Amino acid sequence: MKRLLALVCLLTACGIHTEEETFELEFELHTYVDRIEQEHIREGTVTHVVDGDTFDVVIAGEGEERIRPYMVDAPEICHGHDPPTCESEPWGDEAAIFARQALLGETVYLEQDETTVDRFDRTLAYVYLEDGTMFQEKLLALGLAEVVVYPPDDKYEADLRAVEEEARERGIRMWE
């Protein structure tokens, strides 16, 4: 019986998610190259990913900042400081894996809204990737986050809600 259980665990990877997961978009997203080219946009390189919606960026001449993307909330994961009984929320591990794959070592472009930092002193930003897509939209399209609005930071709320609604309608990941 133990051998059977071990075999089943091995074949199913015991529910453990690996960095080798691939994330394919089921529908096309807009690109925002025009936004990246605005003079108030800051450029940086992602050096560390904390989870699906928090990461560190080194901005030339300014140093490293912890970034929290506006208007998305990814499921929580367990961190090293959490108790051993901690369990990640559903889709949290996948959101973190996607963020690492999409961001780590990459150049990102940061646009700010009204509020520039949150209560945890993280820099708030709309985050664009080099191909012009918005990171928040990718998280939403993959069903790895939901829209959460904290006024007055709602500049692109309609765009983000439209992407979330499409993912919901298609039953992608957290919306299945």
Side-chain angles (χ1 to χ4, degrees), residues 4 6 16 20 74-75 85 119 139 154:
L4 178 60
I16 296 170
E20 291 144 21
T85 56
R119 63 188 175 124
L139 269 178
D154 57 3

Side-chain angles (χ1 to χ4, degrees), residues 17 19 21 23 49-53 73-79 87-100 139 143-145 173-174:
H17 304 283
E19 297 292 326
E21 279 191 59
F23 299 93
V49 173
V50 176
D51 56 26
D53 56 19
D73 187 27
E76 296 303 317
I77 65 169
C78 296
H79 299 281
E87 290 185 28
S88 295
E89 293 178 352
W91 303 109
D93 291 326
E94 291 86 350
I97 291 167
F98 169 71
R100 279 191 290 278
L139 269 178
L144 296 173
R173 288 189 180 80
M174 66 189 295

Side-chain angles (χ1 to χ4, degrees), residues 18-32:
T18 68
E19 297 292 326
E20 291 144 21
E21 279 191 59
T22 58
F23 299 93
E24 299 294 325
L25 292 173
E26 292 188 22
F27 55 95
E28 196 169 319
L29 297 175
H30 293 94
T31 56
Y32 302 103

Side-chain angles (χ1 to χ4, degrees), residues 62-129:
E62 298 180 36
E64 189 169 67
E65 295 180 26
R66 180 139 296 172
I67 306 298
R68 177 67 165 86
Y70 289 113
M71 288 199 286
V72 291
D73 187 27
E76 296 303 317
I77 65 169
C78 296
H79 299 281
H81 62 272
D82 290 325
T85 56
C86 177
E87 290 185 28
S88 295
E89 293 178 352
W91 303 109
D93 291 326
E94 291 86 350
I97 291 167
F98 169 71
R100 279 191 290 278
Q101 289 177 359
L103 298 171
L104 198 55
E106 299 296 323
T107 298
V108 293
Y109 303 88
L110 308 172
E111 177 185 9
Q112 294 194 290
D113 208 332
E114 299 295 319
T115 309
T116 57
V117 295
D118 69 5
R119 63 188 175 124
F120 302 108
D121 205 33
R122 298 176 294 191
T123 298
L124 298 168
Y126 297 105
V127 180
Y128 301 97
L129 307 175

Side-chain angles (χ1 to χ4, degrees), residues 4-52:
L4 178 60
L5 183 58
L7 179 60
V8 168
C9 189
L10 179 64
L11 292 174
T12 64
C14 301
I16 296 170
H17 304 283
T18 68
E19 297 292 326
E20 291 144 21
E21 279 191 59
T22 58
F23 299 93
E24 299 294 325
L25 292 173
E26 292 188 22
F27 55 95
E28 196 169 319
L29 297 175
H30 293 94
T31 56
Y32 302 103
V33 175
D34 58 321
R35 292 183 190 169
I36 292 172
E37 294 172 350
Q38 297 175 72
E39 92 180 30
H40 65 276
I41 298 294
R42 297 186 310 149
E43 179 180 329
T45 303
V46 177
T47 57
H48 175 70
V49 173
V50 176
D51 56 26

